[in-house]
Amino acid sequence: MVNKKFYITTPIYYPNDIPHVGHAYTTIAADILSRWFRIRGYDVFFLTGTDDHGKKIALAAEKAGKSPKKFTDSLIPKFKEAWKKLNIKYDRFIRTTDKDHEKIVQEILQKTYDKGDIYKGEYEGYYCIGCEAYYTEKDLENGCCPIHKTKIEKLKEETYFFKLSKYQKALLDFYKKNPDFISPKNRRQEIINRVKEGLNDLSISRTSFNWGIPLPFDKKHICYVWQDALYNYYSATRQKGKEKYWPTNIHLIGKDILWFHSVYWPAFLISAGISLPNCVFAHGWWTFDKEKISKSRGKVINVDELVAIAGVDSARYFLFREGVFGEDSDFSEKILIERHNNELANKLGNLVSRVTNLAEKNQIQKTTNNLLKKLKLKQIEKLIKNYELDKALNLIFEFIDICNEYVQNKKPWETKDKKVLYELVDSIKAIAILLWPFIPETSEKIAKQIGFKIKFDEIKKPIPANKIKKSEILFKKI
Ligand code: MSP
């Protein structure tokens, strides 16, 4: 039997600085989902990477006194190290400077041009380098970018346009037929309304600088950085053996870049005759002590700082327990530590250490695990399939509470009841497997002590008759 495939992507990040908690959030979410689908038996392809071209990077490189290539080369290891530190297991790290990507971008541009969807003209208007996006007069706030609040450059240059306006109807039809394409649901209507208002053709080339992919039909122009970047999701599947993964099951992104992904991206694909992704899921933004994460105000927390607070698993856990996945959340070191102490150390850590301690000293005896019947497995599966990660975690922790109460009520340290101990050890196995996508390091430690494999099917199988080792402290209280 051929395994079902699951193709998941993160945005490709601008390598103009080291990654921070916002970038980490999307990437961990993709890691959680890909781990989940892997243990569910799917053939997973998890893609992440960097968006190396464009004016923003060219300027940052200039400031650093380096060529854009040298500059980005120096930052890529920082991203890779950060993802390693966070225990993120991606399948490919793509850069828009990768040769295979550049080739595919040119191929698709040529195809789109041959089809008559690209024409030459002149762009006159506003451009925010921070967003790498075009704005009209009415979008601006006091002459500034509505997102960055900075002065915005006025452009007037020869450019090629993509006939975006032509795809208005096709897009609206597509959204209607595919109600889950724009997710979560509450973000859908705003996009539809804006598309209904009408679409302007999109300027897709620049001539005033050269850090980008040349248009194949006019080498004087380089491709607009967003178009170049969006194609990465497709170009990564043109590699030998990777074709089977297209179309994407889920593009995970932040809400700030939903317009690019839900309007430009499908329009580019329809024009090129390529089938469309299943879903673009936009999560919310993290604020920092209720303020927008911003370098200029010092409100930014990078990956090293994040992990230093309470370790990698506590960071991963906090990010997905604290906020509703899809909505904005506030980052607070204090709450991260509270959750580490109260939930990971007191609830999960104590359960595992008490039970494995007793199971090491006393024997366990196989029996029907009635305790496990209280685990809402079907619901958890459904929640994760709907990308409701925080709710899934809530249900897993509800079951941890049930197990802790069971220990309190049954007092196995007095009774030495071998069957009760079996039920508890077997339930911990289920908990560890379900938590593995979220906190893999901890789950793997538990699996080693009790002696089982992290596989979904193992949840329902009785634990092997191993010698159980008492647990080291999983979470030291802070
Ligand atoms: N290069 C583009 C994406 C191209 S994808 C074809 C880009 N890069 S970025 O470096 O600015 O990173 C954008 C992503 O980082 C956001 O979409 C979001 O996923 C994440 N975040 C950045 N700051 C964030 C927060 N404060 N909170 C949550 N996520 C945020 O845009």
Side-chain angles (χ1 to χ4, degrees):
M1 199 184 91
V2 183
N3 282 344
K4 280 203 346 202
K5 67 93 185 171
F6 184 73
Y7 177 30
I8 181 165
T9 67
T10 72
I12 47 171
Y13 305 104
Y14 292 122
N16 59 342
D17 204 343
I18 58 174
H20 63 60
V21 61
H23 308 125
Y25 185 52
T26 329
T27 319
I28 298 171
D31 187 59
I32 292 171
L33 287 171
S34 55
R35 283 175 187 266
W36 175 264
F37 281 89
R38 282 188 222 278
I39 56 169
R40 293 301 288 114
Y42 286 71
D43 176 1
V44 175
F45 183 38
F46 167 11
L47 179 73
T48 190
T50 51
D51 190 355
D52 292 12
H53 290 131
K55 184 83 182 245
K56 181 175 171 132
I57 298 294
L59 285 179
E62 200 179 296
K63 221 170 141 191
K66 289 186 181 160
S67 73
K69 184 70 171 74
K70 283 249 158 64
F71 175 68
T72 50
D73 281 351
S74 72
L75 278 153
I76 305 308
K78 306 279 179 213
F79 279 81
K80 292 189 175 167
E81 279 157 27
W83 301 158
K84 194 164 174 203
K85 199 156 189 179
L86 287 168
N87 223 338
I88 287 162
K89 296 266 187 304
Y90 51 81
D91 297 296
R92 176 166 174 192
F93 189 104
I94 195 170
R95 296 178 62 182
T96 48
T97 44
D98 288 347
K99 287 284 160 276
D100 64 316
H101 169 75
E102 294 193 341
K103 184 169 157 266
I104 299 293
V105 170
Q106 290 197 322
E107 265 174 40
I108 307 176
L109 284 169
Q110 187 65 49
K111 219 170 160 183
T112 312
Y113 182 72
D114 293 343
K115 193 178 173 188
D117 277 351
I118 294 177
Y119 63 92
K120 202 184 213 172
E122 185 174 73
Y123 177 79
E124 185 169 4
Y126 297 93
Y127 190 83
C128 171
I129 299 172
C131 301
E132 293 282 19
Y134 301 93
Y135 285 104
T136 61
E137 188 105 44
K138 84 171 199 301
D139 298 325
L140 305 186
E141 287 172 7
N142 304 319
C144 292
C145 163
I147 310 239
H148 291 89
K149 318 280 179 212
T150 45
K151 273 265 171 263
I152 204 156
E153 70 169 356
K154 192 150 191 205
L155 292 183
K156 187 175 177 186
E157 64 184 38
E158 180 189 283
T159 188
Y160 282 90
F161 285 96
F162 170 70
K163 287 187 185 166
L164 185 63
S165 57
K166 177 178 155 188
Y167 289 98
Q168 181 193 30
K169 186 168 177 308
L171 286 171
L172 291 170
D173 286 349
F174 173 66
Y175 302 146
K176 201 165 173 186
K177 281 200 204 108
N178 299 278
D180 296 329
F181 175 68
I182 303 174
S183 285
K185 280 199 170 40
N186 60 1
R187 302 208 184 270
R188 197 168 164 254
Q189 203 51 46
E190 195 192 324
I191 298 287
I192 295 182
N193 293 346
R194 271 179 72 191
V195 174
K196 277 186 181 157
E197 280 171 24
L199 295 168
N200 293 324
D201 288 348
L202 179 69
S203 161
I204 53 145
S205 74
R206 303 290 304 269
T207 51
S208 52
F209 66 100
N210 65 6
W211 181 233
I213 302 178
L215 300 187
F217 42 84
D218 189 344
K219 301 256 159 44
K220 202 170 88 205
H221 288 248
I222 55 160
C223 177
Y224 172 39
V225 58
W226 263 102
Q227 186 170 24
D228 169 358
L230 285 163
Y231 286 147
N232 94 86
Y233 302 132
Y234 178 71
S235 67
T237 66
R238 302 317 295 161
Q239 289 285 71
K240 203 163 172 275
K242 295 286 186 279
E243 299 91 341
K244 63 181 172 190
Y245 293 109
W246 187 262
T248 320
N249 293 75
I250 177 169
H251 289 302
L252 275 182
I253 56 165
K255 64 178 184 181
D256 51 320
I257 54 176
L258 182 57
W259 180 254
F260 301 89
H261 282 80
S262 60
V263 181
Y264 298 171
W265 181 221
F268 291 155
L269 290 169
I270 300 173
S271 170
I274 299 169
S275 60
L276 301 186
N278 296 358
C279 172
V280 171
F281 184 101
H283 63 67
W285 267 55
W286 282 92
T287 50
F288 191 93
D289 291 331
K290 308 272 184 230
E291 278 190 60
K292 192 169 178 288
I293 292 180
S294 126
K295 243 184 287 163
S296 50
R297 272 177 285 173
K299 299 271 179 201
V300 64
I301 170 159
N302 66 37
V303 170
D304 286 342
E305 290 163 336
L306 173 69
V307 173
I309 301 172
V312 53
D313 278 356
S314 299
R316 289 175 64 119
Y317 171 76
F318 165 80
L319 290 174
F320 290 88
R321 186 86 196 270
E322 179 64 16
V324 173
F325 192 51
E327 278 156 44
D328 292 348
S329 325
D330 189 50
F331 189 90
S332 147
E333 187 168 329
K334 186 168 155 268
I335 299 178
L336 192 160
I337 292 173
E338 275 169 21
R339 287 194 179 275
H340 166 94
N341 287 339
N342 300 339
E343 293 157 25
L344 293 172
N346 282 354
K347 291 183 173 181
L348 175 63
N350 269 352
L351 175 70
V352 177
S353 91
R354 283 170 98 181
V355 171
T356 51
N357 240 323
L358 288 166
E360 188 189 55
K361 290 193 211 107
N362 306 284
Q363 282 185 350
I364 61 171
Q365 184 185 338
K366 197 175 154 198
T367 182
T368 313
N369 189 349
N370 285 319
L371 179 60
L372 194 62
K373 292 184 182 145
K374 306 220 166 86
L375 173 70
K376 296 178 180 149
L377 189 56
K378 282 266 163 310
Q379 277 190 49
I380 293 170
E381 278 193 78
K382 204 169 150 206
L383 287 168
I384 299 188
K385 265 203 142 153
N386 288 335
Y387 310 126
E388 295 180 272
L389 301 180
D390 49 300
K391 297 201 183 66
L393 269 181
N394 278 340
L395 284 190
I396 301 170
F397 271 75
E398 231 173 58
F399 183 63
I400 294 175
D401 286 342
I402 293 172
C403 291
N404 275 319
E405 275 163 31
Y406 197 68
V407 177
Q408 271 327 97
N409 295 338
K410 296 283 178 183
K411 304 193 175 23
W413 61 91
E414 277 174 22
T415 63
K416 317 273 192 261
D417 187 327
K418 294 174 186 157
K419 290 186 174 173
V420 165
L421 279 177
Y422 174 88
E423 285 184 290
L424 284 163
V425 175
D426 192 53
S427 299
I428 289 174
K429 172 187 67 165
I431 293 167
I433 294 171
L434 293 174
L435 283 178
W436 180 72
F438 298 91
I439 49 171
E441 199 176 288
T442 305
S443 288
E444 282 160 21
K445 279 186 197 157
I446 300 173
K448 217 165 143 200
Q449 278 144 13
I450 299 181
F452 59 85
K453 291 204 174 68
I454 309 259
K455 280 192 183 157
F456 198 80
D457 299 343
E458 296 290 315
I459 293 177
K460 290 273 170 66
K461 286 191 197 152
I463 41 168
N466 297 311
K467 190 98 198 69
I468 290 160
K469 282 198 243 48
K470 99 170 180 233
S471 137
E472 57 176 295
I473 295 178
L474 293 175
F475 298 96
K476 286 202 185 73
K477 276 208 189 183
I478 298 171

